[in-house]
Coordinates of all heavy atoms in Angstrom, one line a residue:
Chain B
V133 N 6.7 1.4 3.8 CA 8.0 2.0 4.2 C 7.9 2.2 5.8 O 9.1 1.7 6.4 CB 8.1 3.5 3.7 CG1 9.3 4.2 4.2 CG2 8.4 3.4 2.1
L134 N 6.9 2.7 6.4 CA 6.9 2.9 7.9 C 7.1 1.5 8.6 O 7.8 1.4 9.6 CB 5.9 3.7 8.3 CG 5.7 5.1 7.8 CD1 4.2 5.7 7.9 CD2 6.7 6.0 8.6
L135 N 6.4 0.5 8.2 CA 6.3 -0.7 8.8 C 7.6 -1.5 8.8 O 8.1 -2.1 9.5 CB 5.1 -1.7 8.3 CG 3.7 -1.2 8.6 CD1 2.7 -1.7 7.8 CD2 3.5 -1.5 10.2
K136 N 8.3 -1.3 7.5 CA 9.6 -2.0 7.3 C 10.6 -1.2 8.1 O 11.6 -1.8 8.5 CB 10.0 -1.9 5.7 CG 9.0 -2.8 4.9 CD 9.5 -4.2 5.2 CE 8.5 -5.2 4.5 NZ 8.8 -6.6 4.9
L137 N 10.7 0.1 8.1 CA 11.4 0.8 9.0 C 11.3 0.3 10.4 O 12.4 0.4 11.2 CB 11.3 2.4 8.9 CG 11.7 2.9 7.5 CD1 11.5 4.5 7.5 CD2 13.3 2.7 7.3
A138 N 10.1 0.1 11.0 CA 9.9 -0.2 12.3 C 10.5 -1.7 12.5 O 11.1 -2.0 13.6 CB 8.4 -0.3 12.7
A139 N 10.4 -2.4 11.5 CA 10.9 -3.9 11.7 C 12.3 -4.0 11.6 O 13.0 -4.6 12.4 CB 10.3 -4.8 10.7
D140 N 12.9 -3.2 10.7 CA 14.3 -2.8 10.6 C 15.3 -4.0 10.6 O 16.4 -4.0 11.2 CB 14.7 -2.1 11.9 CG 16.0 -1.3 11.7 OD1 16.4 -1.0 10.5 OD2 16.7 -0.9 12.9
R141 N 15.0 -5.1 9.9 CA 15.9 -6.3 9.6 C 16.6 -6.0 8.4 O 16.1 -5.2 7.6 CB 15.2 -7.6 9.7 CG 14.5 -7.9 11.0 CD 13.6 -9.1 10.8 NE 12.7 -8.7 9.8 CZ 11.9 -9.6 9.1 NH1 12.1 -10.9 9.3 NH2 11.0 -9.2 8.1
P142 N 17.6 -6.7 7.9 CA 18.2 -6.5 6.7 C 17.2 -6.6 5.5 O 17.1 -5.9 4.5 CB 19.3 -7.6 6.5 CG 19.6 -7.8 8.0 CD 18.5 -7.5 8.7
I143 N 16.3 -7.7 5.5 CA 15.3 -7.8 4.5 C 14.4 -6.7 4.4 O 13.9 -6.3 3.3 CB 14.7 -9.1 4.7 CG1 13.6 -9.4 3.3 CG2 13.9 -9.2 5.9 CD1 14.3 -9.6 2.1
D144 N 14.0 -6.1 5.6 CA 13.2 -4.9 5.5 C 13.8 -3.8 4.9 O 13.2 -2.9 4.2 CB 12.8 -4.6 7.0 CG 12.1 -5.8 7.7 OD1 11.0 -6.3 7.0 OD2 12.4 -6.2 8.7
I145 N 15.1 -3.5 5.2 CA 15.7 -2.4 4.6 C 15.9 -2.6 3.2 O 15.9 -1.7 2.3 CB 17.2 -2.1 5.3 CG1 16.9 -1.9 6.8 CG2 18.0 -1.0 4.7 CD1 15.9 -0.9 7.2
D146 N 16.2 -3.9 2.6 CA 16.2 -4.2 1.3 C 14.9 -3.8 0.7 O 14.8 -3.1 -0.4 CB 16.4 -5.6 1.0 CG 17.8 -5.9 0.6 OD1 18.7 -5.1 0.8 OD2 18.0 -7.1 0.2
D147 N 13.7 -4.0 1.4 CA 12.4 -3.7 0.9 C 12.3 -2.1 0.7 O 11.8 -1.5 -0.3 CB 11.4 -4.4 1.7 CG 11.2 -5.7 1.5 OD1 11.7 -6.2 0.3 OD2 10.7 -6.4 2.4
V148 N 12.7 -1.5 1.8 CA 12.8 0.0 1.8 C 13.4 0.6 0.7 O 13.0 1.5 -0.1 CB 13.2 0.5 3.2 CG1 13.4 2.0 3.1 CG2 12.3 0.2 4.4
L149 N 14.6 0.0 0.4 CA 15.5 0.6 -0.6 C 14.8 0.3 -2.0 O 14.8 1.2 -3.0 CB 16.9 0.0 -0.6 CG 17.6 0.5 0.6 CD1 19.0 -0.4 0.5 CD2 17.8 2.0 0.7
A150 N 14.1 -0.8 -2.2 CA 13.4 -1.2 -3.3 C 12.3 -0.2 -3.6 O 12.0 0.3 -4.7 CB 12.9 -2.6 -3.4
I151 N 11.6 0.1 -2.6 CA 10.4 1.0 -2.7 C 11.1 2.5 -3.1 O 10.5 3.2 -3.9 CB 9.7 1.2 -1.2 CG1 8.9 -0.1 -1.1 CG2 8.8 2.4 -1.3 CD1 8.3 -0.2 0.4
K152 N 12.2 2.8 -2.4 CA 12.8 4.1 -2.7 C 13.1 4.2 -4.3 O 12.8 5.1 -4.9 CB 14.0 4.4 -1.9 CG 14.7 5.7 -2.1 CD 15.9 5.9 -1.2 CE 16.6 7.1 -1.6 NZ 17.8 7.3 -1.1
D153 N 13.7 2.9 -4.8 CA 14.1 3.0 -6.1 C 12.9 3.3 -7.1 O 12.9 3.9 -8.0 CB 14.7 1.6 -6.4 CG 16.1 1.5 -5.9 OD1 16.7 2.5 -5.5 OD2 16.6 0.3 -6.0
A154 N 11.8 2.5 -6.6 CA 10.6 2.6 -7.6 C 9.8 3.7 -7.4 O 9.0 4.4 -8.3 CB 9.9 1.3 -7.3
F155 N 9.6 4.3 -6.1 CA 8.5 5.3 -5.8 C 9.0 6.5 -5.2 O 8.2 7.4 -4.7 CB 7.6 4.7 -4.9 CG 6.8 3.4 -5.4 CD1 7.3 2.2 -5.1 CD2 5.7 3.6 -6.4 CE1 6.6 1.0 -5.6 CE2 5.0 2.5 -6.8 CZ 5.6 1.2 -6.5
E156 N 10.3 6.9 -5.1 CA 10.7 8.0 -4.4 C 10.1 9.3 -4.6 O 9.8 10.1 -3.8 CB 12.2 8.2 -4.5 CG 12.9 9.2 -3.5 CD 14.3 9.2 -3.6 OE1 15.0 8.7 -4.6 OE2 15.0 9.8 -2.6
T157 N 9.8 9.5 -5.9 CA 9.3 10.9 -6.4 C 7.8 11.0 -6.1 O 7.3 12.0 -6.1 CB 9.6 11.1 -7.9 OG1 8.9 10.1 -8.6 CG2 11.0 11.2 -8.2
S158 N 7.2 9.9 -5.9 CA 5.7 9.9 -5.7 C 5.3 9.7 -4.3 O 4.0 9.7 -4.0 CB 5.0 8.9 -6.7 OG 5.5 7.6 -6.3
L159 N 6.3 9.5 -3.4 CA 5.9 9.2 -1.9 C 5.2 10.5 -1.3 O 5.8 11.6 -1.6 CB 7.1 8.8 -1.1 CG 7.5 7.3 -1.5 CD1 8.9 7.1 -0.8 CD2 6.6 6.3 -0.9
D160 N 4.3 10.3 -0.4 CA 3.8 11.4 0.4 C 4.8 11.7 1.6 O 4.5 11.0 2.6 CB 2.3 11.0 0.8 CG 1.6 12.1 1.6 OD1 2.4 13.1 1.9 OD2 0.4 12.0 1.8
R161 N 5.7 12.6 1.3 CA 6.7 12.8 2.4 C 6.0 13.5 3.6 O 6.5 13.2 4.8 CB 7.8 13.6 1.9 CG 8.7 12.9 0.9 CD 9.5 11.9 1.6 NE 10.5 12.3 2.7 CZ 11.8 12.5 2.5 NH1 12.2 12.2 1.4 NH2 12.4 13.0 3.6
D162 N 5.1 14.3 3.5 CA 4.3 14.9 4.7 C 3.8 13.7 5.5 O 4.1 13.8 6.9 CB 3.3 15.7 4.4 CG 3.8 17.1 3.6 OD1 4.9 17.4 3.9 OD2 3.0 17.7 2.9
Y163 N 3.1 12.8 5.0 CA 2.5 11.7 5.8 C 3.7 10.8 6.4 O 3.6 10.6 7.5 CB 1.7 10.9 4.9 CG 1.2 9.6 5.5 CD1 0.0 9.7 6.4 CD2 1.7 8.5 5.4 CE1 -0.5 8.5 7.1 CE2 1.3 7.2 6.0 CZ 0.3 7.3 6.8 OH -0.4 6.2 7.6
L164 N 4.7 10.6 5.7 CA 5.7 9.7 6.1 C 6.4 10.3 7.2 O 6.7 9.7 8.3 CB 6.8 9.5 5.0 CG 6.6 8.4 3.9 CD1 7.7 8.5 2.8 CD2 6.6 7.0 4.7
E165 N 6.7 11.6 7.1 CA 7.5 12.3 8.3 C 6.5 12.4 9.5 O 7.2 12.2 10.6 CB 8.0 13.7 7.7 CG 9.1 13.4 6.9 CD 9.7 14.7 6.2 OE1 9.6 15.8 7.0 OE2 10.5 14.7 5.5
T166 N 5.3 12.9 9.4 CA 4.4 12.8 10.4 C 4.4 11.7 11.2 O 4.4 11.5 12.5 CB 3.0 13.3 10.1 OG1 3.1 14.7 9.4 CG2 2.1 13.4 11.2

Side-chain angles (χ1 to χ4, degrees):
Chain B
V133 169
L134 293 163
L135 290 162
K136 290 287 171 185
L137 288 176
D140 199 30
R141 298 165 304 161
I143 184 68
D144 299 308
I145 299 312
D146 259 13
D147 288 335
V148 167
L149 295 177
I151 292 173
K152 184 184 177 191
D153 287 347
F155 298 100
E156 186 171 18
T157 57
S158 60
L159 288 169
D160 182 343
R161 284 295 297 258
D162 289 337
Y163 176 79
L164 274 174
E165 289 182 16
T166 300

